[in-house]
Amino acid sequence: METEADALLAIPELGVSAHPAGLPLELPVEPWSAESPRLYDGSLSTVAERVPVRIGFRTVAIDDGRLKVNGRRLLLRGVNRHEHHPRTGRAVPRDVALADVLLMKRHNINAVRTSHYPPDPAFLELCDEYGLWVIDECDLETHGFGPLEWDRNPSADPAWEDAYLDRMRRTVERDKNRPSVIPWSLGNESHTGPNLERMAEWTRHRDPTRPVHYEGDHACSYVDVHSRMYATHAEVESIGLREDSNERRRDLPFLLCEYGHAMGNGPGGLLEYRELFERYPNCQGGFVWEWLDHGLLAGDHFAYGGDFGEAIHDGNFVVDGLVFPDRTPSPGLAEFAKIIEPVRIETAPGGIRVSNHYDFVSTAHLTFTWVLESEGVPVTEGILDVPTIQSGQDVLVPFPRLPATGGESWLTVSAALTSGASWAPAGHVVGWGQLPVSPAPAVVWPAGRGPVFRTGGRLRLGVGEFDPVTGRLIALGGHPVQGPRLDVWRATTDNDRAESASEWREAGLHRLQHRVIAVDADGDDLVVRTRVAPPAQASGLLTDYTWTALGDRLRLRVEITPDGPAGTLPRLGLTMAVPGAFGSAEWFGGGPGEAYPDSRQAARIGRFSRGVDDLQTPYVFPQENGNRVDVRWLRLTDAEGTGIRVDGDPAFDFTARRWTSAALEAARHTSDLVAGDLVHLTLDVAQHGLGSASCGPGVLPRYRLQVRKTEFTLGFGVAN
């Protein structure tokens, strides 16, 4: 039988030809990292067999309570990844695994936890080649014993010791030569017990070069990394401040092996986690749960638990990824990519601050460009002269010389690959920042107030026609419309349903009634006074609408006063409906994608155009989506460019869709949503945050929409 001593190692590039395997070598090498995944081609051979290998050299250590690779502290910007495909289930073709890796790299992700088993070896080969840090997790989970209070859990049963050790041995022996693998993980949600402790002991003896991870060892008695799932921001800060009474935990590096539950619309609050990771050196990042929605293709939609007649299932709880089942990125992935971008560009006193947040490499591989836009229209562009910045450093560079513009203008600076990389072409943007140049001028309304007329059983004011009984706008420039009127409801998100939705329903916010108190049409203004409230509830919202005709536009001032006990609201604004032919949207404001108060870092100010159908985010389980923020003006038009225009004073949020919020709330699959004859438009002054309460913390206090006295102004006119 051949032994390790019979095998010979060859690494031609390093001048190694027939070195006995297992004996030490001292070689001048370039270290492997996720940012610079340097591999050396080699081979292992015996008289009977030759095996090609790709070798990466790097060190892993825990030093001064920090996880370090090649002597440098890491910040893990990671995701959890299950092996899943919408057609083939757990059998993931190599080209799909490659697509995952490329998509991760292009969205600034640098790490993967292989939840909850060692993946197909092909995936780890790709991580070695393209550069991703990996927590390689043993195939162990017993969390079904949790509801039984862990009675007879195998982790504490001596009869299971050999089986536990066998699983760990197979994991380590198979993957021990992967440079991408930096900690070993004993498994997932298996409580604790001596069998797990034995796994950790065996692993350290077999491979002393990597630390051991396991979140279930809450006392950290046999692991090398303090790990938590779904810790709140406050808990992470406490850990960063080393306030833990457990001395062992306090002195270990901390990871969130799961956080930011990406179920449906969300997660919110990722920026605040990043700020904590950067503020406290012992808090070294984490892994968003999770990478991919686990939907299965079923005709014209993706199916989930319960769609196949099974009695026991998790419903749509398996639909919780940053990408949809077909690997289409969700808005959550765009938000995560922006928050974890390795180059940060910000306004600073005296110029533009450019910071390098890579762990190892400089910015020598990047080109910095800028574009000046006025009212969302490009004016001029150029190259920003940024010196090479080393990892962890920043520089201040002067603003480029810019021409004067007549309106609101923004400078957008981007950092992009100068040359193509293995994972992205030249010009791929890894980071960007948007800097204000000149503020928006004050809104100027046209001169000349128009009086209110009564004609043909209607009220007429400027370009608008109103119902004399309800005071509601029924036509704008000859186009039939419905509304606008106050609305506070949104189709609940997965996170809403886990935190606030029951409170909102108990308050009756989904079934508001509008009682008209008075319609005053005697002067130049049309004033409609209402009380908006759910039936059989003590609380409501006194809402006054004041319409004024100014030139070719209608100005609407909305004043909202709480009447009775107050809590939180899903959103606060107006809803209206316009002809379905108005299917094209153009706006100046935040975009191009959706954004919410605690998930808006990826939105930039610009001029954008989308079809109404393209404004929708097709979450596998339908829910609130598509909100655009900080909109200065919006045009909804038909194929000939005719339609309506809405102006902010100064800005508003909007959604536009071909179904009502009630229809969206009732839908369980995207195929349930059927386009109607109208475009339903919401115009909001505020939205409640998203949070990640579907499995994790709820909405942070600063993003909770509290009922309070509010006033806002919008303009309405005809788009030609």
Side-chain angles (χ1 to χ4, degrees), residues 188-206:
N188 180 69
E189 296 183 1
S190 300
H191 199 45
T192 189
N195 293 339
L196 286 155
E197 188 170 359
R198 287 283 293 115
M199 292 168 73
E201 291 171 356
W202 180 90
T203 302
R204 283 195 197 89
H205 177 75
R206 180 66 181 97

Side-chain angles (χ1 to χ4, degrees), residues 8-301:
L8 299 176
L9 172 67
I11 313 175
E13 188 176 353
L14 297 176
V16 178
S17 58
H19 186 81
L23 295 183
L25 270 173
E26 289 190 10
L27 299 168
V29 297
E30 297 176 38
W32 187 99
S33 75
E35 295 165 4
S36 181
R38 181 67 161 93
L39 293 173
Y40 294 85
D41 291 324
S43 65
L44 279 172
S45 60
T46 67
V47 294
E49 183 180 19
R50 180 182 180 278
V51 178
V53 293
R54 305 196 75 192
I55 305 168
F57 298 90
R58 52 102 192 96
T59 63
V60 184
I62 293 178
D63 179 33
D64 191 26
R66 304 177 192 181
L67 176 64
K68 295 182 178 180
V69 172
N70 302 329
R72 302 289 298 272
R73 170 190 181 262
L74 286 187
L75 182 54
L76 297 174
R77 307 164 177 94
V79 293
N80 287 274
R81 177 184 178 271
H82 271 294
E83 303 261 79
H84 179 80
H85 188 277
R87 290 183 181 273
T88 58
R90 298 300 183 201
V92 180
R94 189 181 189 281
D95 63 323
V96 176
L98 174 59
D100 279 350
V101 170
L102 296 179
L103 201 56
M104 290 176 189
K105 294 286 289 186
R106 291 169 185 170
H107 287 82
N108 300 324
I109 290 165
N110 72 355
V112 177
R113 175 178 173 230
T114 67
S115 52
H116 298 294
Y117 38 78
D120 186 320
F123 180 75
L124 294 182
E125 291 174 5
L126 294 168
C127 293
D128 288 348
E129 179 178 354
Y130 291 92
L132 288 169
W133 307 114
V134 175
I135 292 183
D136 197 0
E137 193 150 274
C138 179
D139 182 14
L140 174 64
E141 179 161 353
T142 67
H143 109 224
F145 285 85
L148 306 177
E149 298 184 350
W150 301 103
D151 180 44
R152 290 172 287 178
N153 180 32
S155 297
D157 185 343
W160 285 89
E161 179 179 321
D162 288 344
Y164 271 55
L165 287 172
D166 178 64
R167 290 198 174 202
M168 197 67 204
R169 286 192 192 101
R170 286 185 289 139
T171 299
V172 173
E173 296 296 354
R174 193 196 76 169
D175 297 338
K176 61 183 180 292
N177 291 318
R178 296 287 174 206
S180 56
V181 175
I182 49 173
W184 300 111
S185 180
L186 304 181
N188 180 69
E189 296 183 1
S190 300
H191 199 45
T192 189
N195 293 339
L196 286 155
E197 188 170 359
R198 287 283 293 115
M199 292 168 73
E201 291 171 356
W202 180 90
T203 302
R204 283 195 197 89
H205 177 75
R206 180 66 181 97
D207 179 18
T209 70
R210 294 179 176 94
V212 173
H213 165 277
Y214 175 61
E215 187 270 344
D217 179 15
H218 294 164
C220 294
S221 60
Y222 52 84
V223 295
D224 305 307
V225 176
H226 179 198
S227 179
R228 286 284 304 281
M229 295 180 180
Y230 308 108
T232 66
H233 300 81
E235 290 172 307
V236 174
E237 179 150 43
S238 178
I239 292 168
L241 290 168
R242 299 184 182 272
E243 295 176 339
D244 198 325
S245 60
N246 181 307
E247 184 177 353
R248 167 70 175 165
R249 276 198 308 254
R250 189 169 62 238
D251 293 335
L252 293 179
F254 173 71
L255 296 177
L256 276 167
C257 67
E258 295 179 21
Y259 81 111
H261 199 253
M263 187 175 178
N265 190 345
L270 292 180
L271 174 64
E272 288 74 16
Y273 277 117
R274 187 205 73 189
E275 291 171 344
L276 292 168
F277 300 154
E278 294 179 351
R279 186 179 308 146
Y280 301 108
N282 59 318
C283 296
Q284 296 191 239
F287 299 81
V288 169
W289 187 271
E290 62 176 302
W291 173 242
L292 177 71
D293 285 344
H294 296 182
L296 293 170
L297 190 61
D300 57 357
H301 66 273

Side-chain angles (χ1 to χ4, degrees), residues 187 230 272 298 364 443 468 554 583 613 624 643:
Y230 308 108
E272 288 74 16
V443 174
L554 292 176
D613 298 333
E624 162 64 29

Side-chain angles (χ1 to χ4, degrees), residues 565-630:
T568 62
L569 300 174
R571 47 175 283 267
L572 181 62
L574 307 174
T575 185
M576 63 184 298
V578 301
F582 297 168
S584 296
E586 181 185 14
W587 73 97
F588 174 43
E594 72 182 28
Y596 291 82
D598 55 353
S599 180
R600 54 176 297 153
Q601 301 307 305
R604 62 181 178 85
I605 301 300
R607 188 177 296 202
F608 306 100
S609 297
R610 295 286 188 278
V612 166
D613 298 333
D614 298 323
L615 293 173
Q616 314 311 308
T617 301
Y619 292 111
V620 172
F621 191 104
Q623 55 200 273
E624 162 64 29
N625 73 89
N627 188 63
R628 267 62 178 184
V629 297
D630 294 336

